[in-house]
Amino acid sequence: MELVTEDDIRAAATRLRGEIVRTPLTAGPAQGPPFLLKPESLQPTGAFKLRGATNAIALLDPARRASGVITHSSGNHGQALAHAAARFGVPCTVVVPEGAPKVKVDRMRARGARVIMVPPDRRVEVAEETSRAERLALIPPFDDPTVIAGQGTVGLEILEQSPEVATIVVPVGGGGLASGVATAALTVQPHRVRVIGVEPELAADAAESLERGRRVAWDPERTHRTMADGVRVCLSDLTFEHLRHRLDGIVTVTEDEIARAIAHLALGARVVAEPAGALAAAAILAGRVPTVPGRPEATVAVVSGGNIDPALFTRILAEHG
């Protein structure tokens, strides 16, 4: 299986110039170990997914682009594809699992996407069926080299912004972000920068897969127990191979640790993070990933998204603020 390369990521970075925000590195919460944040929540769609979606659409030939694009997503990738499609003047359809956060679904529709709601275990099947029936270009959330290359620009930016970085911590759901960032770290700074993935304990299929040495899928009934809706999906064969060869390690966090991280980021770093977006910070704050005393620039936590349901955000701040 052919993996994404440094050249793929650098080409994506050139392609994305002017289309996405080059997010800054900002200080982590004052309370706790020293580390920096890469707030992808500052993207126009509130999450890193805009990078991969834009790169994928940009690489479609004009004829395929004109027919329209489709994806399956619980929220952030759907929003990103809708945004990118609108920029290119392309019709967009998103197959959404029932129970997806209303705030994310509403934003997909606001960006012009047609939304098809289905049971969680049928999201991929319906997207593929609709793609064939309507001749739409299918752009998966993570199981695609062009998407992974776009997500890898997050890692490329971190390496350029903080030459002293030694550890990058990233959330893991489908594995596209972790695959791209790990590729950037391994090829741009080989053997100097380690990349650590983070999953919720209640959706830890990647941790189990890497431990067993083969891809293990968890049923939606298991992964939907976590509040981190953005990482309820499992690895694909493509992302598993990237992580198996390039990720330096993976840890898990509890639901309480995720909630506490959301509160710490909001109150201590002025960064709004959704549950999936808070995973990396949660692992650091919980002591799962050691940092270097006095050197915040040595550890960077990627805040992958900030599209949190307002009611959930209010409740977490009330309980943990």
Side-chain angles (χ1 to χ4, degrees):
M1 184 178 293
E2 190 171 341
L3 304 186
V4 170
T5 68
E6 175 189 348
D7 288 343
D8 294 328
I9 295 174
R10 289 196 182 279
T14 300
R15 212 170 282 120
L16 296 180
R17 197 169 296 139
E19 296 293 335
I20 56 101
V21 173
R22 182 181 171 90
T23 53
L25 293 183
T26 62
Q31 300 292 328
F35 65 101
L36 297 179
L37 303 170
K38 177 73 166 170
E40 284 294 292
S41 50
L42 298 179
Q43 293 295 346
T45 57
F48 76 97
K49 293 283 191 177
L50 186 60
R51 296 172 182 265
T54 302
N55 191 50
I57 289 184
L59 286 169
L60 288 176
D61 67 68
R64 292 208 73 198
R65 203 185 290 166
S67 298
V69 295
I70 187 171
T71 194
H72 52 89
S73 168
S74 64
N76 286 338
H77 179 65
Q79 290 183 74
L81 193 66
H83 179 94
R87 293 274 294 181
F88 284 92
V90 176
C92 177
T93 298
V94 185
V95 178
V96 178
E98 294 167 352
K102 184 176 183 297
V103 63
K104 295 183 179 181
V105 178
D106 287 347
R107 288 173 184 172
M108 286 183 225
R109 290 193 171 108
R111 289 184 167 93
R114 174 179 61 150
V115 172
I116 302 174
M117 302 292 293
V118 299
D121 60 350
R122 294 203 64 224
R123 56 190 282 177
V124 176
E125 177 188 355
V126 171
E128 291 175 346
E129 289 175 352
T130 308
S131 171
R132 289 191 295 269
E134 301 184 14
R135 300 183 182 276
L136 306 177
L138 178 61
I139 299 179
F142 50 85
D143 189 26
D144 183 284
T146 64
V147 172
I148 291 173
Q151 319 305 27
T153 60
V154 172
L156 194 63
E157 287 180 10
I158 291 172
L159 294 167
E160 293 169 351
Q161 293 166 321
S162 181
E164 299 306 312
V165 66
T167 303
I168 303 174
V169 190
V170 295
V172 177
L177 176 61
S179 295
V181 172
T183 297
L186 180 64
T187 56
V188 177
Q189 294 285 358
H191 310 300
R192 190 181 75 75
V193 179
R194 63 178 187 147
V195 178
I196 305 297
V198 185
E199 285 185 302
E201 285 185 354
L202 299 182
D205 68 285
E208 182 178 349
S209 297
L210 293 171
E211 181 181 357
R212 290 175 178 261
R214 61 179 175 83
R215 189 172 73 86
V216 177
W218 285 25
D219 293 332
E221 291 78 10
R222 291 183 74 187
T223 61
H224 275 62
R225 296 173 300 164
T226 179
M227 74 172 82
D229 60 279
V231 295
R232 287 172 178 164
V233 293
C234 297
L235 301 179
S236 67
D237 289 337
L238 180 62
T239 55
F240 172 70
E241 287 302 315
H242 278 82
L243 300 190
R244 185 167 71 91
H245 290 287
R246 295 175 176 175
L247 194 69
D248 294 289
I250 190 164
V251 299
T252 61
V253 291
T254 67
E255 297 298 292
D256 186 64
E257 287 165 347
I258 296 170
R260 289 184 182 279
I262 291 171
H264 277 295
L265 289 171
L267 301 176
R270 295 158 300 283
V271 170
V272 174
E274 62 188 89
L279 289 175
I284 295 172
L285 292 168
R288 304 283 196 283
V289 181
T291 61
V292 181
R295 288 188 56 206
E297 73 282 354
T299 305
V300 176
V302 177
V303 179
S304 58
N307 294 317
I308 187 169
D309 178 80
L312 175 62
F313 188 54
T314 300
R315 177 168 60 81
I316 287 174
L317 292 185
E319 293 176 357
H320 300 280

